[in-house]
Amino acid sequence: MTSTRGLEGVVATQSSISSIIDDTLTYVGYNIDELADNASFEEVIYLLWHKRLPKMDELTELKQQLTANMSLPQEFLNHFKTYPIDKVHPMSALRSAVSLLGLYDDKSEDMSDEANYAKAINLQAKIATIVTAFARVRKGLEPVAPRADLGYAANFLYMLSGKEPEEIEIEAFDKALVLHADHELNASTFTARVCVATLSDMYSGVTSAIGALKGPLHGGANEQVMKMLSEIGSEENAEAYIQEKLANKEKIMGFGHRVYRQGDPRAKHLREMSKQLTKLRGEEKWYNMSIRVEAAFTAQKNLPPNVDFYSASVYHSLGIEHDLFTPIFAVSRVSGWIAHILEQYENNRLIRPRAEYTGPGMQKYIPIEDR
Ligand code: SDX
């Protein structure tokens, strides 16, 4: 038995949800480029959960179900105020809050298809409210309730700022949600599948996935990219900064990928969004700096930008606080986690790989007085 570090190249399961073949990403066979340009996030949620695009009435029903389930009970919101609110990272708050959500659902342990679908709607709907409510409560602001007349992306921005978002902001945020929804067997999705393969519940599966996404090698990279851009400060400093980091053998967040070799197809959409939104805000420096960082990095390492690199300047241009970038990744990716959890339940087998033992050979026990 020989182990493969990080399970690189290991095919751990079969799935018909998303595919990454020759650097092309599809959700149920639909190319991400077509979905990013044409589909709403709600259409993608339906596609991932039902493995086909919705008809108009099915999409309308899903939108209504999500909006109707977005509100959080007051006792839940009061719970945020018990957190050490100024010290808690929003991803840690989200991990705890999703776990708490399960306590309030009296059907959390019901494994019927109907109950699991209800949990899916509950999680997808409330995760947006949890992230925005926490972001406001930690600043001493009251949460903003969702509006029945707004779609998912618009409601998120509205609940975060308390102001009705502009059309261009809604379109950009909706596209970002589409681009982050699913990605084959990435670390957090694999975590979710391992968890529910023990026949544990959906809240446990999503809570464990949030824990995995939080790390800077995975979903946490987007916040680190913004931190890096802020440290660089101006486009003139980009080359020297990157050269110094690489000379020190440091990893540059937002670049490289375990699967993609020629490039992450999502990055080009986010690069274009960054160009448009930073210009709209009169803050082109973030886009220009990103372009200079990409040029300086790829001149030394053949590792193109991944989904996290340009999403940083996109979210910044939408006025979103930097430590909310990874929770936003979770707001989108929970749709993919749920799809994989449902698929795992459909044809389950406990996921239990082996370890290549490298410890000492057989040993005799020695009583403590003789050690
Ligand atoms: C996401 O898996 C998914 O699908 C994830 C995701 C999704 O949608 O779910 O796409 C989202 O998580 C994107 C990745 C976000 N993370 C980052 O941007 C963090 C920075 N990137 C790296 O840590 C790294 O590229 C990973 C974690 C993304 C991939 O790591 P691997 O496959 O384990 O590669 P590695 O660390 O073994 O690196 C191979 C070589 C090394 O050089 P050598 O030691 O062989 O000389 O490439 C180098 C690394 O040092 N390298 C980098 C680098 N990434 C790899 N060097 C500098 N900066 C980097 N970013």
Side-chain angles (χ1 to χ4, degrees):
M1 277 196 301
T2 52
S3 64
T4 309
R5 285 196 75 215
L7 298 186
E8 179 159 14
V10 170
V11 178
T13 192
Q14 291 183 336
S15 174
S16 59
I17 300 168
S18 61
S19 69
I20 304 171
I21 299 165
D22 301 332
D23 285 6
T24 297
L25 170 61
T26 80
Y27 296 164
V28 196
Y30 294 95
N31 191 306
I32 194 64
D33 295 337
E34 277 201 284
L35 291 171
D37 291 339
N38 300 292
S40 66
F41 180 49
E42 290 95 331
E43 272 184 284
V44 164
I45 293 171
Y46 192 98
L47 172 64
L48 294 173
W49 294 359
H50 299 277
K51 302 198 181 168
R52 64 174 175 84
L53 286 169
K55 294 183 176 61
M56 185 59 81
D57 61 334
E58 294 166 328
L59 180 60
T60 304
E61 184 187 17
L62 176 62
K63 286 181 172 178
Q64 284 166 347
Q65 288 172 327
L66 290 171
T67 312
N69 282 276
M70 267 186 177
S71 296
L72 287 169
Q74 189 53 48
E75 63 269 34
F76 192 102
L77 292 169
N78 293 341
H79 199 264
F80 283 151
K81 293 170 184 166
T82 68
Y83 293 176
I85 202 99
D86 52 348
K87 292 199 285 287
V88 170
H89 190 285
M91 274 302 275
S92 305
L94 179 60
R95 184 191 61 212
S96 305
V98 165
S99 186
L100 182 70
L101 208 52
L103 306 188
Y104 282 90
D105 182 346
D106 56 12
K107 289 246 187 335
S108 64
E109 305 304 325
D110 179 338
M111 295 292 273
S112 67
D113 291 350
E114 188 190 0
N116 279 332
Y117 192 77
K119 287 176 231 174
I121 292 287
N122 197 40
L123 277 158
Q124 184 69 62
K126 289 185 170 62
I127 195 168
T129 321
I130 289 169
V131 171
T132 53
F134 178 77
R136 294 181 66 84
V137 166
R138 71 173 176 172
K139 293 190 290 189
L141 300 171
E142 281 306 307
V144 172
R147 276 177 32 184
D149 63 321
L150 294 179
Y152 194 93
N155 248 325
F156 182 93
L157 296 173
Y158 169 68
M159 291 192 288
L160 187 61
S161 70
K163 296 193 293 295
E164 187 157 340
E166 300 163 44
E167 201 47 47
I168 189 168
E169 292 173 319
I170 298 168
E171 275 173 34
F173 192 66
D174 189 76
K175 182 177 276 196
L177 293 174
V178 167
L179 289 166
H180 285 81
D182 197 54
H183 211 241
E184 200 216 59
L185 215 51
N186 62 88
S188 54
T189 297
F190 185 53
T191 302
R193 290 192 80 132
V194 170
C195 177
V196 301
T198 68
L199 293 185
S200 186
D201 67 291
M202 192 180 284
Y203 292 101
S204 299
V206 170
T207 302
S208 51
I210 291 170
L213 186 74
K214 180 171 176 286
L217 293 187
H218 189 13
N222 53 20
E223 178 183 351
Q224 298 307 316
V225 168
M226 200 65 222
K227 186 165 169 279
M228 171 178 70
L229 294 176
S230 305
E231 280 172 11
I232 293 174
S234 73
E235 49 186 294
E236 292 70 37
N237 299 339
E239 283 82 1
Y241 181 97
I242 294 300
Q243 273 152 19
E244 186 191 348
K245 290 289 179 187
L246 291 179
N248 297 338
K249 295 279 181 221
E250 291 180 51
K251 288 221 163 81
I252 307 298
M253 298 292 112
F255 289 92
H257 200 278
R258 173 62 63 80
V259 176
Y260 290 122
R261 286 297 162 248
Q262 300 312 315
D264 185 331
R266 301 165 294 179
K268 62 179 179 295
H269 294 281
L270 289 154
R271 183 189 292 116
E272 186 52 33
M273 290 156 71
S274 169
K275 184 176 182 180
Q276 290 173 16
L277 286 172
T278 53
K279 187 174 171 66
L280 181 76
R281 292 283 176 259
E283 288 196 317
E284 292 94 325
K285 78 164 187 175
W286 299 112
Y287 171 74
N288 295 338
M289 228 191 299
S290 300
I291 290 291
R292 297 285 285 269
V293 165
E294 180 181 353
F297 180 85
T298 50
Q300 295 207 43
K301 291 229 169 206
N302 181 25
L303 295 167
N306 56 49
V307 70
D308 289 304
F309 185 63
Y310 286 101
S311 59
S313 48
V314 167
Y315 294 149
H316 176 79
S317 303
L318 290 171
I320 294 167
E321 292 155 280
H322 300 167
D323 62 1
L324 298 180
F325 289 6
T326 308
I328 284 170
F329 196 146
V331 165
S332 168
R333 186 54 60 86
V334 71
S335 61
W337 294 332
I338 288 167
H340 282 268
I341 288 170
L342 293 174
E343 186 179 70
Q344 185 68 39
Y345 283 150
E346 269 167 27
N347 180 20
N348 186 52
R349 184 144 195 264
L350 180 73
I351 297 173
R352 198 283 186 214
R354 297 298 307 278
E356 180 190 348
Y357 179 68
T358 57
M362 295 297 284
Q363 303 192 71
K364 284 293 287 168
Y365 180 80
I366 299 167
I368 192 158
E369 54 275 7
D370 299 337
R371 285 177 212 159

XYZ file of all heavy atoms in Angstrom, residues 8 20 180 182-183 185-188 213 216-219 221 246 250-261 264 266 297 301 303 306-308 329 333, ligand 1:
378
model
N -3.768 13.341 -4.613
C -3.652 13.925 -5.954
C -3.923 12.858 -7.019
O -3.341 11.769 -6.962
C -2.258 14.526 -6.163
C -2.077 15.119 -7.551
C -0.957 16.138 -7.624
O -0.139 16.196 -6.679
O -0.930 16.880 -8.625
N -14.669 18.454 -14.484
C -13.528 19.283 -14.897
C -12.688 18.381 -15.803
O -12.026 17.469 -15.335
C -12.670 19.741 -13.705
C -13.508 20.480 -12.661
C -11.511 20.627 -14.197
C -12.762 20.778 -11.365
N -19.176 30.193 -8.498
C -18.628 29.517 -7.309
C -19.478 28.332 -6.839
O -19.148 27.701 -5.828
C -18.519 30.513 -6.136
C -17.395 31.487 -6.244
N -17.465 32.633 -7.024
C -16.170 31.494 -5.683
C -16.326 33.300 -6.925
N -15.521 32.634 -6.126
N -20.349 25.109 -7.780
C -19.897 23.722 -7.618
C -18.568 23.516 -8.325
O -18.217 24.269 -9.217
C -20.939 22.721 -8.159
C -20.658 21.313 -7.623
O -20.553 21.168 -6.391
O -20.474 20.392 -8.431
N -17.840 22.511 -7.894
C -16.515 22.303 -8.510
C -15.988 20.892 -8.273
O -14.915 20.700 -7.703
C -15.522 23.341 -7.980
C -14.478 23.688 -8.994
N -13.143 23.481 -8.804
C -14.595 24.213 -10.239
C -12.466 23.856 -9.882
N -13.323 24.303 -10.767
N -14.885 17.424 -6.964
C -14.622 16.917 -5.615
C -13.556 17.763 -4.912
O -12.556 17.251 -4.421
C -14.186 15.457 -5.696
C -14.638 14.550 -4.564
C -16.129 14.647 -4.315
C -14.252 13.099 -4.828
N -13.796 19.091 -4.838
C -12.885 19.973 -4.093
C -12.919 19.606 -2.619
O -13.786 18.854 -2.171
C -13.320 21.421 -4.317
C -14.721 21.661 -3.802
O -14.908 21.983 -2.643
N -15.715 21.440 -4.646
N -11.997 20.156 -1.849
C -11.803 19.716 -0.466
C -13.070 19.825 0.384
O -13.402 18.907 1.138
C -10.667 20.524 0.160
N -13.793 20.928 0.274
C -14.974 21.088 1.148
C -16.111 20.170 0.710
O -16.841 19.622 1.541
C -15.424 22.551 1.161
O -15.638 23.024 -0.153
N -13.747 24.739 3.895
C -13.659 25.891 2.973
C -12.895 27.037 3.616
O -12.242 27.828 2.928
C -15.057 26.358 2.577
C -15.099 27.460 1.510
C -14.764 26.908 0.115
C -16.457 28.150 1.494
N -7.043 28.898 4.104
C -6.505 29.772 3.050
C -6.042 29.024 1.797
O -5.915 29.616 0.733
C -5.321 30.475 3.717
C -4.994 29.668 4.904
C -6.247 28.995 5.341
N -5.848 27.720 1.896
C -5.475 26.991 0.664
C -6.705 26.699 -0.183
O -6.603 26.219 -1.309
C -4.769 25.668 1.015
C -3.390 25.781 1.672
C -2.749 24.391 1.785
C -2.464 26.722 0.918
N -7.884 26.955 0.379
C -9.158 26.673 -0.319
C -9.961 27.973 -0.396
O -9.470 28.949 -0.933
C -9.865 25.542 0.441
C -11.082 24.963 -0.227
N -11.433 25.179 -1.529
C -12.061 24.144 0.276
C -12.548 24.534 -1.820
N -12.958 23.891 -0.731
N -11.110 28.036 0.214
C -11.950 29.220 0.061
C -11.404 30.462 0.727
O -11.764 31.582 0.368
N -8.689 31.822 0.412
C -7.681 32.527 -0.408
C -8.160 33.901 -0.853
O -7.368 34.845 -0.931
C -7.302 31.680 -1.615
N 8.272 35.335 -3.732
C 8.701 34.084 -4.378
C 10.137 33.738 -3.991
O 10.466 32.571 -3.782
C 8.551 34.190 -5.898
C 7.100 34.233 -6.393
C 7.053 34.354 -7.917
C 6.325 33.001 -5.944
N 7.433 31.892 -0.588
C 6.052 32.026 -0.091
C 5.043 31.779 -1.211
O 5.328 32.051 -2.373
C 5.840 33.436 0.488
C 6.609 33.688 1.794
C 6.368 35.112 2.317
O 5.186 35.500 2.420
O 7.364 35.806 2.574
N 3.884 31.241 -0.849
C 2.823 31.014 -1.824
C 2.050 32.321 -2.037
O 1.817 33.069 -1.096
C 1.874 29.926 -1.325
C 2.490 28.518 -1.353
C 1.468 27.511 -1.836
C 2.109 26.231 -2.277
N 2.452 25.323 -1.166
N 1.685 32.600 -3.284
C 0.882 33.785 -3.606
C -0.568 33.337 -3.747
O -0.913 32.540 -4.630
C 1.368 34.435 -4.927
C 2.876 34.699 -4.881
C 0.568 35.713 -5.199
C 3.316 35.661 -3.792
N -1.407 33.833 -2.858
C -2.814 33.429 -2.837
C -3.521 33.828 -4.129
O -3.269 34.893 -4.680
C -3.526 34.070 -1.645
C -2.947 33.640 -0.304
S -3.251 31.911 0.060
C -1.614 31.214 -0.010
N -4.403 32.918 -4.601
C -5.144 33.219 -5.821
C -4.533 32.618 -7.065
O -5.089 32.757 -8.159
N -3.380 31.919 -6.885
C -2.732 31.295 -8.050
C -2.519 29.806 -7.813
O -2.352 29.367 -6.679
C -1.374 31.963 -8.334
C -1.494 33.352 -8.883
C -1.501 34.442 -8.021
C -1.639 33.575 -10.247
C -1.648 35.730 -8.513
C -1.777 34.867 -10.743
C -1.789 35.945 -9.870
N -2.521 29.056 -8.900
C -2.299 27.622 -8.815
C -3.591 26.874 -8.580
O -4.574 27.430 -8.098
N -3.572 25.593 -8.890
C -4.761 24.760 -8.685
C -4.342 23.299 -8.777
O -3.474 22.949 -9.557
C -5.832 25.063 -9.755
C -7.195 24.634 -9.336
N -7.630 23.340 -9.471
C -8.194 25.327 -8.742
C -8.863 23.255 -9.002
N -9.235 24.429 -8.546
N -5.002 22.452 -7.941
C -4.645 21.041 -7.946
C -5.052 20.375 -9.266
O -4.403 19.427 -9.706
C -5.369 20.346 -6.771
C -5.248 18.841 -6.733
C -3.813 18.382 -6.567
N -3.210 18.793 -5.321
C -3.394 18.184 -4.174
N -4.219 17.165 -4.089
N -2.767 18.595 -3.071
N -6.088 20.866 -9.895
C -6.610 20.167 -11.085
C -6.286 20.924 -12.376
O -5.768 20.350 -13.325
C -8.140 19.967 -10.957
C -8.719 19.335 -12.223
C -8.465 19.107 -9.739
N -6.555 22.237 -12.420
C -6.343 22.985 -13.659
C -4.848 23.111 -13.978
O -4.054 23.356 -13.088
C -6.950 24.393 -13.555
C -8.453 24.401 -13.530
C -9.141 24.975 -12.469
C -9.200 23.829 -14.563
C -10.533 24.976 -12.435
C -10.582 23.823 -14.527
C -11.236 24.394 -13.461
O -12.601 24.387 -13.424
N -4.513 22.983 -15.228
C -3.111 23.166 -15.621
C -2.936 24.395 -16.519
O -2.066 25.221 -16.278
C -2.598 21.887 -16.332
C -2.352 20.736 -15.344
C -1.260 21.100 -14.346
N -1.263 20.254 -13.135
C -1.589 20.719 -11.907
N -2.013 21.976 -11.751
N -1.556 19.944 -10.833
N -7.848 28.306 -14.828
C -9.178 28.167 -14.240
C -10.157 28.959 -15.115
O -10.055 30.181 -15.194
C -9.142 28.727 -12.805
C -10.452 28.509 -12.062
O -11.514 28.452 -12.710
O -10.385 28.403 -10.822
N -12.988 29.984 -14.753
C -13.817 30.987 -14.051
C -13.087 32.330 -13.946
O -13.701 33.383 -13.840
C -14.172 30.447 -12.665
C -14.929 29.132 -12.687
C -14.955 28.445 -11.345
N -13.615 28.020 -10.928
C -13.380 27.407 -9.760
N -14.372 27.134 -8.927
N -12.148 27.057 -9.430
N 3.725 37.300 -11.494
C 3.740 35.934 -10.970
C 3.914 34.918 -12.108
O 4.766 34.033 -12.053
C 2.444 35.641 -10.196
C 2.397 34.253 -9.626
C 2.986 33.979 -8.404
C 1.788 33.212 -10.313
C 2.972 32.691 -7.871
C 1.769 31.926 -9.801
C 2.368 31.664 -8.578
N 6.256 31.764 -12.590
C 5.681 30.433 -12.324
C 4.545 30.199 -13.302
O 3.667 31.070 -13.455
C 5.121 30.395 -10.897
C 6.185 30.453 -9.808
C 5.957 29.369 -8.789
C 7.149 29.251 -7.863
N 7.268 27.911 -7.301
N 1.709 29.144 -13.294
C 0.530 28.813 -12.480
C -0.474 29.945 -12.639
O -0.362 30.973 -11.974
C 0.935 28.647 -11.014
C 1.875 27.479 -10.688
C 2.435 27.644 -9.285
C 1.145 26.153 -10.817
N -6.526 31.475 -10.148
C -7.707 30.634 -9.943
C -8.902 31.513 -9.603
O -8.821 32.746 -9.673
C -7.439 29.595 -8.835
C -7.012 30.229 -7.529
O -7.652 31.173 -7.050
N -5.911 29.758 -6.971
N -9.996 30.900 -9.199
C -11.263 31.630 -8.992
C -11.121 32.698 -7.917
O -11.842 33.707 -7.914
C -12.394 30.634 -8.608
C -12.175 30.053 -7.191
C -13.759 31.260 -8.759
N -10.163 32.518 -7.012
C -10.072 33.438 -5.869
C -9.327 34.732 -6.177
O -9.424 35.686 -5.394
C -9.382 32.729 -4.694
C -10.293 31.676 -4.091
O -11.421 32.033 -3.699
O -9.911 30.498 -4.061
N -18.296 32.893 -0.572
C -17.969 31.659 -1.299
C -18.887 30.533 -0.777
O -19.482 29.783 -1.531
C -16.497 31.306 -1.050
C -15.903 30.314 -2.004
C -14.570 30.404 -2.375
C -16.639 29.253 -2.500
C -13.991 29.468 -3.247
C -16.089 28.304 -3.364
C -14.755 28.429 -3.732
N -21.387 28.064 -2.620
C -20.987 26.660 -2.681
C -21.887 25.728 -1.879
O -21.933 24.509 -2.156
C -19.530 26.531 -2.177
C -18.909 25.169 -2.305
C -18.960 24.569 -3.701
N -18.295 25.335 -4.727
C -17.005 25.259 -5.015
N -16.237 24.451 -4.335
N -16.471 25.987 -5.967
C -9.942 26.933 -4.472
O -9.939 22.145 -5.597
C -10.778 23.039 -6.006
O -11.535 22.854 -6.913
C -10.775 24.335 -5.196
C -11.539 25.499 -5.814
C -13.034 25.267 -5.827
O -13.725 25.902 -6.636
O -13.523 24.529 -4.918
O -11.074 25.744 -7.130
C -11.331 26.776 -4.980
O -9.656 26.510 -3.393
C -8.903 27.543 -5.375
C -7.464 27.514 -4.747
C -7.375 28.661 -3.744
N -6.092 28.577 -3.006
C -5.086 29.422 -3.287
O -5.126 30.299 -4.151
C -3.876 29.224 -2.393
C -2.599 29.318 -3.209
N -2.458 28.139 -4.067
C -1.674 27.058 -3.611
O -1.612 26.871 -2.231
C -1.842 25.790 -4.439
O -1.734 26.138 -5.761
C -3.115 24.963 -4.260
C -3.416 24.697 -2.819
C -4.279 25.658 -4.889
C -2.883 23.648 -4.993
O -1.869 23.023 -4.293
P -1.165 21.654 -4.749
O -1.856 21.035 -5.914
O -1.001 20.835 -3.513
O 0.234 22.127 -5.293
P 1.548 22.243 -4.410
O 1.303 23.063 -3.182
O 2.098 20.850 -4.238
O 2.497 23.094 -5.371
C 3.172 22.493 -6.478
C 4.328 23.441 -6.774
C 5.152 23.762 -5.522
O 6.445 24.087 -5.943
P 7.642 23.065 -5.601
O 7.659 22.925 -4.078
O 7.252 21.738 -6.301
O 8.852 23.717 -6.178
O 3.819 24.735 -7.219
C 4.146 25.720 -6.252
C 4.506 25.005 -4.973
O 5.414 25.790 -4.194
N 2.952 26.553 -6.046
C 2.956 27.843 -5.762
C 1.624 28.221 -5.657
N 0.848 27.168 -5.880
C 1.676 26.125 -6.110
N 3.983 28.704 -5.552
C 3.625 29.990 -5.261
N 2.340 30.415 -5.157
C 1.341 29.567 -5.352
N 0.079 30.003 -5.234
